[in-house]
Amino acid sequence: MDKPQPGHLKNAGLKSTVPRIRILELFELGQERHMSAEDVYKHLLASGDDVGLATVYRVLTQFEQAGLLTRHNFEGGKSVFELNQGKHHDHIVCLQCGHVEEFYDAAIESRQEKIAAERGFAVHDHSLHIYADCTKKKCPYK
Amino acid sequence: MDKPQPGHLKNAGLKSTVPRIRILELFELGQERHMSAEDVYKHLLASGDDVGLATVYRVLTQFEQAGLLTRHNFEGGKSVFELNQGKHHDHIVCLQCGHVEEFYDAAIESRQEKIAAERGFAVHDHSLHIYADCTKKKCPYK
DNA sequence: TTGCAAATGAGAACTATTATCATTTGCTAT
DNA sequence: ATAGCAAATGATAATAGTTCTCATTTGCAA
């Protein structure tokens, strides 16, 4: 077999239920890396799964707390989730099409540490979002 | 006289109306630097001004577009505004006490521009929030 | 002043998310 | 396997923040 292991769920202290397995599958096997609750809900409905929107919200929050997913609060009011695969990165978000691109920059990371330390803060975590317009052909909305 | 000049409004192409003048005063003369729409609304009501919440939202958005205010989308779902005094800065937020400290780092700013340009994006704006714990005595919650 | 477009206020509408609660489901001990 | 029961679910109501609608008011130019 080649299907996602529900082990992730058990390890996280979560019962293996149908909605949880489906949602985890969607993030692990699906093509979209960043999805809002609404996105997840629509994908599941399209796949013939019968889940409620409330369950999607609950499960996403549980997955976030369990460390399986990371939540991002981008502009536009809705939360977006992505699989937490260990490696930290920041985001560039296209204001035209909503396309999200990831990046990591060691210089920025270390400057942040330094700045926080200088002011007497111990960094817990940070969020850096660059909002921009695609200037390339990749943006379908221009 | 020593009152706020409505010139700011006219220069921004906005008619000088009572609600706009009051809101601008609140940011220019008030003691709070970061305020949500609800915060502004309550302050105005407390001052005896009779403005509607819808007007507050409209005016804040107009001020943002005119460059008079800057909007921040912090975690927690609500937008927070602050007077735009020319100098861009980012924020460190203490996870214990919620204290917000501002900082500016030229190295981070230029790295961001470079990263975006390399990927074919024209930066519109960005948000960098460092979430940390005060390690100094300044935090009253530790 | 008068006129009229622009701005306002009250409340409806909307969007994202959370809470409620009766019903269903996954697991555990038979 | 199976019964029991807590945990999870789905439908829907409720909430929070914000935007929209539209009748009335206001700022300002002639």
Side-chain angles (χ1 to χ4, degrees), chain A residues 75 95 105 111 119-122 124-129 131-133 135 138, chain B residues 73 105 111 119-122 124-129 131-133 135 138:
Chain A
E75 281 181 13
L95 290 171
D105 186 74
R111 287 296 300 164
R119 282 149 219 270
F121 285 87
H124 220 274
D125 141 36
H126 72 261
S127 76
L128 169 53
H129 307 150
Y131 298 98
D133 292 333
T135 55
K138 71 183 66 158
Chain B
N73 298 292
D105 188 75
R111 287 296 301 163
R119 283 149 219 269
F121 285 87
H124 223 274
D125 130 44
H126 73 261
S127 78
L128 168 53
H129 307 148
Y131 297 98
D133 293 333
T135 55
K138 72 183 67 159

PDB file of all heavy atoms in Angstrom, chain A residues 75 95 105 111 119-122 124-129 131-133 135 138, chain B residues 73 105 111 119-122 124-129 131-133 135 138:
ATOM      1  N   GLU A  75      -3.194  38.801   4.226  1.00  0.00           N
ATOM      2  CA  GLU A  75      -4.208  39.838   4.026  1.00  0.00           C
ATOM      3  C   GLU A  75      -5.390  39.211   3.308  1.00  0.00           C
ATOM      4  O   GLU A  75      -5.236  38.249   2.573  1.00  0.00           O
ATOM      5  CB  GLU A  75      -3.654  40.963   3.137  1.00  0.00           C
ATOM      6  CG  GLU A  75      -2.766  41.924   3.890  1.00  0.00           C
ATOM      7  CD  GLU A  75      -2.258  43.047   2.995  1.00  0.00           C
ATOM      8  OE1 GLU A  75      -2.776  43.222   1.884  1.00  0.00           O
ATOM      9  OE2 GLU A  75      -1.320  43.745   3.445  1.00  0.00           O
ATOM     10  N   LEU A  95      -0.738  40.052  -5.048  1.00  0.00           N
ATOM     11  CA  LEU A  95      -1.978  40.749  -4.732  1.00  0.00           C
ATOM     12  C   LEU A  95      -3.003  40.614  -5.850  1.00  0.00           C
ATOM     13  O   LEU A  95      -4.184  40.854  -5.646  1.00  0.00           O
ATOM     14  CB  LEU A  95      -1.689  42.234  -4.471  1.00  0.00           C
ATOM     15  CG  LEU A  95      -0.928  42.513  -3.175  1.00  0.00           C
ATOM     16  CD1 LEU A  95      -0.493  43.966  -3.116  1.00  0.00           C
ATOM     17  CD2 LEU A  95      -1.806  42.169  -1.980  1.00  0.00           C
ATOM     18  N   ASP A 105      15.666  33.217   3.538  1.00  0.00           N
ATOM     19  CA  ASP A 105      16.862  34.028   3.377  1.00  0.00           C
ATOM     20  C   ASP A 105      17.617  34.082   4.705  1.00  0.00           C
ATOM     21  O   ASP A 105      17.128  34.654   5.685  1.00  0.00           O
ATOM     22  CB  ASP A 105      16.481  35.438   2.933  1.00  0.00           C
ATOM     23  CG  ASP A 105      17.711  36.270   2.604  1.00  0.00           C
ATOM     24  OD1 ASP A 105      18.314  36.031   1.534  1.00  0.00           O
ATOM     25  OD2 ASP A 105      18.092  37.116   3.424  1.00  0.00           O
ATOM     26  N   ARG A 111      19.414  38.618  10.900  1.00  0.00           N
ATOM     27  CA  ARG A 111      19.194  40.004  11.311  1.00  0.00           C
ATOM     28  C   ARG A 111      18.060  40.066  12.335  1.00  0.00           C
ATOM     29  O   ARG A 111      18.122  40.820  13.296  1.00  0.00           O
ATOM     30  CB  ARG A 111      18.810  40.881  10.111  1.00  0.00           C
ATOM     31  CG  ARG A 111      19.935  41.193   9.154  1.00  0.00           C
ATOM     32  CD  ARG A 111      21.043  42.000   9.779  1.00  0.00           C
ATOM     33  NE  ARG A 111      20.601  43.284  10.295  1.00  0.00           N
ATOM     34  CZ  ARG A 111      21.306  44.027  11.143  1.00  0.00           C
ATOM     35  NH1 ARG A 111      22.481  43.613  11.576  1.00  0.00           N
ATOM     36  NH2 ARG A 111      20.834  45.179  11.560  1.00  0.00           N
ATOM     37  N   ARG A 119      17.223  44.093  21.722  1.00  0.00           N
ATOM     38  CA  ARG A 119      16.155  44.748  22.474  1.00  0.00           C
ATOM     39  C   ARG A 119      15.672  43.924  23.649  1.00  0.00           C
ATOM     40  O   ARG A 119      14.663  44.249  24.273  1.00  0.00           O
ATOM     41  CB  ARG A 119      14.969  44.989  21.537  1.00  0.00           C
ATOM     42  CG  ARG A 119      15.195  46.174  20.637  1.00  0.00           C
ATOM     43  CD  ARG A 119      14.493  45.968  19.324  1.00  0.00           C
ATOM     44  NE  ARG A 119      15.337  46.481  18.247  1.00  0.00           N
ATOM     45  CZ  ARG A 119      15.276  47.725  17.820  1.00  0.00           C
ATOM     46  NH1 ARG A 119      14.391  48.538  18.293  1.00  0.00           N
ATOM     47  NH2 ARG A 119      16.088  48.112  16.880  1.00  0.00           N
ATOM     48  N   GLY A 120      16.359  42.811  23.888  1.00  0.00           N
ATOM     49  CA  GLY A 120      15.965  42.000  25.035  1.00  0.00           C
ATOM     50  C   GLY A 120      14.771  41.102  24.799  1.00  0.00           C
ATOM     51  O   GLY A 120      13.967  40.864  25.690  1.00  0.00           O
ATOM     52  N   PHE A 121      14.632  40.593  23.578  1.00  0.00           N
ATOM     53  CA  PHE A 121      13.540  39.663  23.300  1.00  0.00           C
ATOM     54  C   PHE A 121      14.113  38.322  22.888  1.00  0.00           C
ATOM     55  O   PHE A 121      15.149  38.276  22.204  1.00  0.00           O
ATOM     56  CB  PHE A 121      12.672  40.163  22.141  1.00  0.00           C
ATOM     57  CG  PHE A 121      11.761  41.293  22.494  1.00  0.00           C
ATOM     58  CD1 PHE A 121      12.203  42.608  22.419  1.00  0.00           C
ATOM     59  CD2 PHE A 121      10.457  41.051  22.886  1.00  0.00           C
ATOM     60  CE1 PHE A 121      11.359  43.658  22.732  1.00  0.00           C
ATOM     61  CE2 PHE A 121       9.606  42.107  23.192  1.00  0.00           C
ATOM     62  CZ  PHE A 121      10.060  43.409  23.125  1.00  0.00           C
ATOM     63  N   ALA A 122      13.439  37.244  23.291  1.00  0.00           N
ATOM     64  CA  ALA A 122      13.815  35.908  22.844  1.00  0.00           C
ATOM     65  C   ALA A 122      12.806  35.513  21.767  1.00  0.00           C
ATOM     66  O   ALA A 122      11.626  35.334  22.060  1.00  0.00           O
ATOM     67  CB  ALA A 122      13.759  34.932  24.005  1.00  0.00           C
ATOM     68  N   HIS A 124      10.384  33.841  19.373  1.00  0.00           N
ATOM     69  CA  HIS A 124       9.580  32.635  19.486  1.00  0.00           C
ATOM     70  C   HIS A 124       9.309  32.166  18.078  1.00  0.00           C
ATOM     71  O   HIS A 124       9.354  30.998  17.754  1.00  0.00           O
ATOM     72  CB  HIS A 124       8.268  32.997  20.170  1.00  0.00           C
ATOM     73  CG  HIS A 124       7.817  31.988  21.149  1.00  0.00           C
ATOM     74  ND1 HIS A 124       7.085  30.894  20.811  1.00  0.00           N
ATOM     75  CD2 HIS A 124       8.038  31.907  22.489  1.00  0.00           C
ATOM     76  CE1 HIS A 124       6.848  30.192  21.900  1.00  0.00           C
ATOM     77  NE2 HIS A 124       7.406  30.770  22.927  1.00  0.00           N
ATOM     78  N   ASP A 125       9.036  33.113  17.228  1.00  0.00           N
ATOM     79  CA  ASP A 125       8.536  32.790  15.912  1.00  0.00           C
ATOM     80  C   ASP A 125       8.286  34.120  15.218  1.00  0.00           C
ATOM     81  O   ASP A 125       8.277  35.159  15.861  1.00  0.00           O
ATOM     82  CB  ASP A 125       7.274  31.962  16.171  1.00  0.00           C
ATOM     83  CG  ASP A 125       6.123  32.225  15.252  1.00  0.00           C
ATOM     84  OD1 ASP A 125       6.354  32.479  14.077  1.00  0.00           O
ATOM     85  OD2 ASP A 125       4.986  32.150  15.729  1.00  0.00           O
ATOM     86  N   HIS A 126       8.162  34.103  13.921  1.00  0.00           N
ATOM     87  CA  HIS A 126       7.902  35.359  13.237  1.00  0.00           C
ATOM     88  C   HIS A 126       7.138  35.111  11.949  1.00  0.00           C
ATOM     89  O   HIS A 126       7.041  33.972  11.489  1.00  0.00           O
ATOM     90  CB  HIS A 126       9.218  36.071  12.914  1.00  0.00           C
ATOM     91  CG  HIS A 126       9.998  35.422  11.817  1.00  0.00           C
ATOM     92  ND1 HIS A 126      11.050  34.583  12.049  1.00  0.00           N
ATOM     93  CD2 HIS A 126       9.870  35.471  10.479  1.00  0.00           C
ATOM     94  CE1 HIS A 126      11.532  34.146  10.903  1.00  0.00           C
ATOM     95  NE2 HIS A 126      10.834  34.669   9.933  1.00  0.00           N
ATOM     96  N   SER A 127       6.591  36.164  11.392  1.00  0.00           N
ATOM     97  CA  SER A 127       5.913  36.015  10.107  1.00  0.00           C
ATOM     98  C   SER A 127       6.349  37.177   9.228  1.00  0.00           C
ATOM     99  O   SER A 127       6.331  38.324   9.649  1.00  0.00           O
ATOM    100  CB  SER A 127       4.400  36.038  10.285  1.00  0.00           C
ATOM    101  OG  SER A 127       3.939  37.333  10.516  1.00  0.00           O
ATOM    102  N   LEU A 128       6.796  36.832   8.057  1.00  0.00           N
ATOM    103  CA  LEU A 128       7.204  37.840   7.091  1.00  0.00           C
ATOM    104  C   LEU A 128       6.457  37.577   5.798  1.00  0.00           C
ATOM    105  O   LEU A 128       6.604  36.532   5.181  1.00  0.00           O
ATOM    106  CB  LEU A 128       8.716  37.745   6.829  1.00  0.00           C
ATOM    107  CG  LEU A 128       9.248  38.569   5.643  1.00  0.00           C
ATOM    108  CD1 LEU A 128       8.838  40.017   5.739  1.00  0.00           C
ATOM    109  CD2 LEU A 128      10.763  38.456   5.572  1.00  0.00           C
ATOM    110  N   HIS A 129       5.599  38.516   5.424  1.00  0.00           N
ATOM    111  CA  HIS A 129       4.839  38.379   4.193  1.00  0.00           C
ATOM    112  C   HIS A 129       5.148  39.566   3.303  1.00  0.00           C
ATOM    113  O   HIS A 129       4.983  40.707   3.719  1.00  0.00           O
ATOM    114  CB  HIS A 129       3.336  38.361   4.471  1.00  0.00           C
ATOM    115  CG  HIS A 129       2.923  37.351   5.485  1.00  0.00           C
ATOM    116  ND1 HIS A 129       1.844  37.537   6.306  1.00  0.00           N
ATOM    117  CD2 HIS A 129       3.449  36.163   5.817  1.00  0.00           C
ATOM    118  CE1 HIS A 129       1.728  36.493   7.104  1.00  0.00           C
ATOM    119  NE2 HIS A 129       2.699  35.645   6.832  1.00  0.00           N
ATOM    120  N   TYR A 131       3.892  41.457   0.084  1.00  0.00           N
ATOM    121  CA  TYR A 131       2.744  41.541  -0.810  1.00  0.00           C
ATOM    122  C   TYR A 131       3.197  42.258  -2.064  1.00  0.00           C
ATOM    123  O   TYR A 131       3.762  43.349  -1.981  1.00  0.00           O
ATOM    124  CB  TYR A 131       1.595  42.283  -0.127  1.00  0.00           C
ATOM    125  CG  TYR A 131       1.118  41.554   1.098  1.00  0.00           C
ATOM    126  CD1 TYR A 131       1.553  41.913   2.364  1.00  0.00           C
ATOM    127  CD2 TYR A 131       0.282  40.452   0.983  1.00  0.00           C
ATOM    128  CE1 TYR A 131       1.151  41.202   3.495  1.00  0.00           C
ATOM    129  CE2 TYR A 131      -0.125  39.738   2.097  1.00  0.00           C
ATOM    130  CZ  TYR A 131       0.310  40.120   3.346  1.00  0.00           C
ATOM    131  OH  TYR A 131      -0.087  39.415   4.455  1.00  0.00           O
ATOM    132  N   ALA A 132       2.979  41.637  -3.181  1.00  0.00           N
ATOM    133  CA  ALA A 132       3.527  42.184  -4.417  1.00  0.00           C
ATOM    134  C   ALA A 132       2.666  41.829  -5.622  1.00  0.00           C
ATOM    135  O   ALA A 132       1.661  41.136  -5.503  1.00  0.00           O
ATOM    136  CB  ALA A 132       4.936  41.652  -4.614  1.00  0.00           C
ATOM    137  N   ASP A 133       3.078  42.327  -6.770  1.00  0.00           N
ATOM    138  CA  ASP A 133       2.405  41.972  -8.014  1.00  0.00           C
ATOM    139  C   ASP A 133       3.375  41.146  -8.832  1.00  0.00           C
ATOM    140  O   ASP A 133       4.554  41.496  -8.939  1.00  0.00           O
ATOM    141  CB  ASP A 133       2.071  43.237  -8.819  1.00  0.00           C
ATOM    142  CG  ASP A 133       1.018  44.082  -8.128  1.00  0.00           C
ATOM    143  OD1 ASP A 133       0.224  43.506  -7.379  1.00  0.00           O
ATOM    144  OD2 ASP A 133       1.011  45.298  -8.358  1.00  0.00           O
ATOM    145  N   THR A 135       5.242  40.241 -11.927  1.00  0.00           N
ATOM    146  CA  THR A 135       5.582  41.034 -13.111  1.00  0.00           C
ATOM    147  C   THR A 135       5.865  40.084 -14.252  1.00  0.00           C
ATOM    148  O   THR A 135       6.165  40.498 -15.358  1.00  0.00           O
ATOM    149  CB  THR A 135       6.828  41.910 -12.853  1.00  0.00           C
ATOM    150  OG1 THR A 135       7.888  41.064 -12.421  1.00  0.00           O
ATOM    151  CG2 THR A 135       6.548  42.941 -11.792  1.00  0.00           C
ATOM    152  N   LYS A 138       3.455  34.504 -15.212  1.00  0.00           N
ATOM    153  CA  LYS A 138       2.831  33.472 -14.390  1.00  0.00           C
ATOM    154  C   LYS A 138       1.491  33.889 -13.789  1.00  0.00           C
ATOM    155  O   LYS A 138       0.671  33.066 -13.439  1.00  0.00           O
ATOM    156  CB  LYS A 138       3.779  33.048 -13.276  1.00  0.00           C
ATOM    157  CG  LYS A 138       3.949  34.105 -12.206  1.00  0.00           C
ATOM    158  CD  LYS A 138       4.961  33.674 -11.147  1.00  0.00           C
ATOM    159  CE  LYS A 138       6.353  33.555 -11.711  1.00  0.00           C
ATOM    160  NZ  LYS A 138       7.416  33.653 -10.683  1.00  0.00           N
TER     161      LYS A 138
ATOM    162  N   ASN B  73      -2.354  44.045   9.861  1.00  0.00           N
ATOM    163  CA  ASN B  73      -3.224  42.890  10.079  1.00  0.00           C
ATOM    164  C   ASN B  73      -2.558  41.966  11.082  1.00  0.00           C
ATOM    165  O   ASN B  73      -1.923  40.988  10.708  1.00  0.00           O
ATOM    166  CB  ASN B  73      -3.460  42.157   8.764  1.00  0.00           C
ATOM    167  CG  ASN B  73      -4.150  43.039   7.748  1.00  0.00           C
ATOM    168  OD1 ASN B  73      -5.310  43.398   7.925  1.00  0.00           O
ATOM    169  ND2 ASN B  73      -3.447  43.395   6.701  1.00  0.00           N
ATOM    170  N   ASP B 105      15.152  47.979   9.916  1.00  0.00           N
ATOM    171  CA  ASP B 105      16.468  47.443   9.597  1.00  0.00           C
ATOM    172  C   ASP B 105      16.689  47.515   8.090  1.00  0.00           C
ATOM    173  O   ASP B 105      16.015  46.825   7.322  1.00  0.00           O
ATOM    174  CB  ASP B 105      16.582  45.998  10.083  1.00  0.00           C
ATOM    175  CG  ASP B 105      18.000  45.484   9.938  1.00  0.00           C
ATOM    176  OD1 ASP B 105      18.854  45.876  10.745  1.00  0.00           O
ATOM    177  OD2 ASP B 105      18.245  44.702   8.999  1.00  0.00           O
ATOM    178  N   ARG B 111      17.114  43.259   1.463  1.00  0.00           N
ATOM    179  CA  ARG B 111      17.088  41.839   1.101  1.00  0.00           C
ATOM    180  C   ARG B 111      15.714  41.485   0.545  1.00  0.00           C
ATOM    181  O   ARG B 111      15.594  40.724  -0.420  1.00  0.00           O
ATOM    182  CB  ARG B 111      17.360  40.949   2.319  1.00  0.00           C
ATOM    183  CG  ARG B 111      18.793  40.945   2.816  1.00  0.00           C
ATOM    184  CD  ARG B 111      19.768  40.375   1.817  1.00  0.00           C
ATOM    185  NE  ARG B 111      19.476  39.008   1.434  1.00  0.00           N
ATOM    186  CZ  ARG B 111      19.981  38.416   0.361  1.00  0.00           C
ATOM    187  NH1 ARG B 111      20.800  39.066  -0.443  1.00  0.00           N
ATOM    188  NH2 ARG B 111      19.674  37.173   0.080  1.00  0.00           N
ATOM    189  N   ARG B 119      12.508  37.015  -8.134  1.00  0.00           N
ATOM    190  CA  ARG B 119      11.422  36.105  -8.476  1.00  0.00           C
ATOM    191  C   ARG B 119      10.389  36.745  -9.379  1.00  0.00           C
ATOM    192  O   ARG B 119       9.322  36.171  -9.602  1.00  0.00           O
ATOM    193  CB  ARG B 119      10.728  35.642  -7.195  1.00  0.00           C
ATOM    194  CG  ARG B 119      11.528  34.585  -6.476  1.00  0.00           C
ATOM    195  CD  ARG B 119      11.313  34.687  -4.987  1.00  0.00           C
ATOM    196  NE  ARG B 119      12.582  34.427  -4.311  1.00  0.00           N
ATOM    197  CZ  ARG B 119      12.949  33.216  -3.929  1.00  0.00           C
ATOM    198  NH1 ARG B 119      12.161  32.198  -4.101  1.00  0.00           N
ATOM    199  NH2 ARG B 119      14.112  33.049  -3.361  1.00  0.00           N
ATOM    200  N   GLY B 120      10.630  37.949  -9.796  1.00  0.00           N
ATOM    201  CA  GLY B 120       9.692  38.596 -10.702  1.00  0.00           C
ATOM    202  C   GLY B 120       8.482  39.204 -10.021  1.00  0.00           C
ATOM    203  O   GLY B 120       7.383  39.204 -10.568  1.00  0.00           O
ATOM    204  N   PHE B 121       8.677  39.737  -8.836  1.00  0.00           N
ATOM    205  CA  PHE B 121       7.567  40.404  -8.154  1.00  0.00           C
ATOM    206  C   PHE B 121       7.933  41.863  -7.921  1.00  0.00           C
ATOM    207  O   PHE B 121       9.092  42.185  -7.649  1.00  0.00           O
ATOM    208  CB  PHE B 121       7.304  39.773  -6.789  1.00  0.00           C
ATOM    209  CG  PHE B 121       6.624  38.443  -6.841  1.00  0.00           C
ATOM    210  CD1 PHE B 121       7.351  37.278  -6.974  1.00  0.00           C
ATOM    211  CD2 PHE B 121       5.241  38.363  -6.738  1.00  0.00           C
ATOM    212  CE1 PHE B 121       6.722  36.042  -7.011  1.00  0.00           C
ATOM    213  CE2 PHE B 121       4.604  37.128  -6.773  1.00  0.00           C
ATOM    214  CZ  PHE B 121       5.348  35.966  -6.908  1.00  0.00           C
ATOM    215  N   ALA B 122       6.934  42.734  -8.020  1.00  0.00           N
ATOM    216  CA  ALA B 122       7.125  44.147  -7.696  1.00  0.00           C
ATOM    217  C   ALA B 122       6.508  44.351  -6.315  1.00  0.00           C
ATOM    218  O   ALA B 122       5.292  44.265  -6.152  1.00  0.00           O
ATOM    219  CB  ALA B 122       6.422  45.015  -8.730  1.00  0.00           C
ATOM    220  N   HIS B 124       4.804  45.551  -3.144  1.00  0.00           N
ATOM    221  CA  HIS B 124       3.765  46.527  -2.908  1.00  0.00           C
ATOM    222  C   HIS B 124       3.931  47.012  -1.491  1.00  0.00           C
ATOM    223  O   HIS B 124       3.865  48.181  -1.185  1.00  0.00           O
ATOM    224  CB  HIS B 124       2.410  45.840  -3.057  1.00  0.00           C
ATOM    225  CG  HIS B 124       1.432  46.648  -3.802  1.00  0.00           C
ATOM    226  ND1 HIS B 124       0.655  47.592  -3.213  1.00  0.00           N
ATOM    227  CD2 HIS B 124       1.118  46.664  -5.119  1.00  0.00           C
ATOM    228  CE1 HIS B 124      -0.112  48.149  -4.134  1.00  0.00           C
ATOM    229  NE2 HIS B 124       0.149  47.619  -5.287  1.00  0.00           N
ATOM    230  N   ASP B 125       4.192  46.040  -0.643  1.00  0.00           N
ATOM    231  CA  ASP B 125       4.198  46.322   0.786  1.00  0.00           C
ATOM    232  C   ASP B 125       4.507  45.008   1.483  1.00  0.00           C
ATOM    233  O   ASP B 125       4.492  43.957   0.862  1.00  0.00           O
ATOM    234  CB  ASP B 125       2.819  46.910   1.083  1.00  0.00           C
ATOM    235  CG  ASP B 125       2.080  46.297   2.244  1.00  0.00           C
ATOM    236  OD1 ASP B 125       2.691  46.067   3.282  1.00  0.00           O
ATOM    237  OD2 ASP B 125       0.873  46.074   2.079  1.00  0.00           O
ATOM    238  N   HIS B 126       4.868  45.069   2.739  1.00  0.00           N
ATOM    239  CA  HIS B 126       5.155  43.825   3.440  1.00  0.00           C
ATOM    240  C   HIS B 126       4.854  43.961   4.917  1.00  0.00           C
ATOM    241  O   HIS B 126       4.672  45.068   5.419  1.00  0.00           O
ATOM    242  CB  HIS B 126       6.623  43.437   3.260  1.00  0.00           C
ATOM    243  CG  HIS B 126       7.575  44.294   4.036  1.00  0.00           C
ATOM    244  ND1 HIS B 126       8.271  45.327   3.476  1.00  0.00           N
ATOM    245  CD2 HIS B 126       7.912  44.286   5.346  1.00  0.00           C
ATOM    246  CE1 HIS B 126       9.001  45.907   4.406  1.00  0.00           C
ATOM    247  NE2 HIS B 126       8.807  45.310   5.549  1.00  0.00           N
ATOM    248  N   SER B 127       4.777  42.843   5.585  1.00  0.00           N
ATOM    249  CA  SER B 127       4.582  42.880   7.029  1.00  0.00           C
ATOM    250  C   SER B 127       5.532  41.887   7.662  1.00  0.00           C
ATOM    251  O   SER B 127       5.617  40.741   7.222  1.00  0.00           O
ATOM    252  CB  SER B 127       3.143  42.538   7.389  1.00  0.00           C
ATOM    253  OG  SER B 127       2.931  41.161   7.311  1.00  0.00           O
ATOM    254  N   LEU B 128       6.247  42.353   8.637  1.00  0.00           N
ATOM    255  CA  LEU B 128       7.174  41.485   9.367  1.00  0.00           C
ATOM    256  C   LEU B 128       6.869  41.637  10.842  1.00  0.00           C
ATOM    257  O   LEU B 128       7.003  42.727  11.409  1.00  0.00           O
ATOM    258  CB  LEU B 128       8.622  41.915   9.089  1.00  0.00           C
ATOM    259  CG  LEU B 128       9.700  41.304   9.991  1.00  0.00           C
ATOM    260  CD1 LEU B 128       9.599  39.785  10.005  1.00  0.00           C
ATOM    261  CD2 LEU B 128      11.080  41.722   9.528  1.00  0.00           C
ATOM    262  N   HIS B 129       6.406  40.568  11.437  1.00  0.00           N
ATOM    263  CA  HIS B 129       6.114  40.580  12.867  1.00  0.00           C
ATOM    264  C   HIS B 129       6.958  39.522  13.535  1.00  0.00           C
ATOM    265  O   HIS B 129       6.897  38.359  13.162  1.00  0.00           O
ATOM    266  CB  HIS B 129       4.636  40.273  13.131  1.00  0.00           C
ATOM    267  CG  HIS B 129       3.692  41.140  12.373  1.00  0.00           C
ATOM    268  ND1 HIS B 129       2.469  40.710  11.947  1.00  0.00           N
ATOM    269  CD2 HIS B 129       3.812  42.419  11.954  1.00  0.00           C
ATOM    270  CE1 HIS B 129       1.857  41.687  11.302  1.00  0.00           C
ATOM    271  NE2 HIS B 129       2.644  42.732  11.284  1.00  0.00           N
ATOM    272  N   TYR B 131       7.402  37.521  16.864  1.00  0.00           N
ATOM    273  CA  TYR B 131       6.698  37.202  18.110  1.00  0.00           C
ATOM    274  C   TYR B 131       7.733  36.642  19.071  1.00  0.00           C
ATOM    275  O   TYR B 131       8.444  35.702  18.732  1.00  0.00           O
ATOM    276  CB  TYR B 131       5.586  36.190  17.849  1.00  0.00           C
ATOM    277  CG  TYR B 131       4.529  36.742  16.919  1.00  0.00           C
ATOM    278  CD1 TYR B 131       4.535  36.441  15.557  1.00  0.00           C
ATOM    279  CD2 TYR B 131       3.554  37.610  17.395  1.00  0.00           C
ATOM    280  CE1 TYR B 131       3.607  36.990  14.699  1.00  0.00           C
ATOM    281  CE2 TYR B 131       2.608  38.157  16.541  1.00  0.00           C
ATOM    282  CZ  TYR B 131       2.632  37.844  15.193  1.00  0.00           C
ATOM    283  OH  TYR B 131       1.703  38.396  14.346  1.00  0.00           O
ATOM    284  N   ALA B 132       7.836  37.243  20.233  1.00  0.00           N
ATOM    285  CA  ALA B 132       8.914  36.875  21.148  1.00  0.00           C
ATOM    286  C   ALA B 132       8.515  37.075  22.599  1.00  0.00           C
ATOM    287  O   ALA B 132       7.409  37.521  22.897  1.00  0.00           O
ATOM    288  CB  ALA B 132      10.148  37.717  20.825  1.00  0.00           C
ATOM    289  N   ASP B 133       9.419  36.715  23.496  1.00  0.00           N
ATOM    290  CA  ASP B 133       9.208  36.947  24.916  1.00  0.00           C
ATOM    291  C   ASP B 133      10.208  37.992  25.369  1.00  0.00           C
ATOM    292  O   ASP B 133      11.387  37.923  25.018  1.00  0.00           O
ATOM    293  CB  ASP B 133       9.482  35.660  25.719  1.00  0.00           C
ATOM    294  CG  ASP B 133       8.454  34.587  25.418  1.00  0.00           C
ATOM    295  OD1 ASP B 133       7.324  34.953  25.044  1.00  0.00           O
ATOM    296  OD2 ASP B 133       8.789  33.406  25.549  1.00  0.00           O
ATOM    297  N   THR B 135      12.854  39.379  27.625  1.00  0.00           N
ATOM    298  CA  THR B 135      13.757  38.705  28.561  1.00  0.00           C
ATOM    299  C   THR B 135      14.218  39.725  29.593  1.00  0.00           C
ATOM    300  O   THR B 135      14.957  39.409  30.500  1.00  0.00           O
ATOM    301  CB  THR B 135      14.988  38.128  27.837  1.00  0.00           C
ATOM    302  OG1 THR B 135      15.620  39.180  27.120  1.00  0.00           O
ATOM    303  CG2 THR B 135      14.584  37.041  26.872  1.00  0.00           C
ATOM    304  N   LYS B 138      11.215  44.702  31.625  1.00  0.00           N
ATOM    305  CA  LYS B 138      10.147  45.552  31.117  1.00  0.00           C
ATOM    306  C   LYS B 138       8.780  44.855  31.005  1.00  0.00           C
ATOM    307  O   LYS B 138       7.752  45.493  30.976  1.00  0.00           O
ATOM    308  CB  LYS B 138      10.536  46.125  29.753  1.00  0.00           C
ATOM    309  CG  LYS B 138      10.523  45.096  28.652  1.00  0.00           C
ATOM    310  CD  LYS B 138      10.973  45.679  27.321  1.00  0.00           C
ATOM    311  CE  LYS B 138      12.430  46.076  27.338  1.00  0.00           C
ATOM    312  NZ  LYS B 138      13.025  46.173  25.997  1.00  0.00           N
TER     313      LYS B 138
END
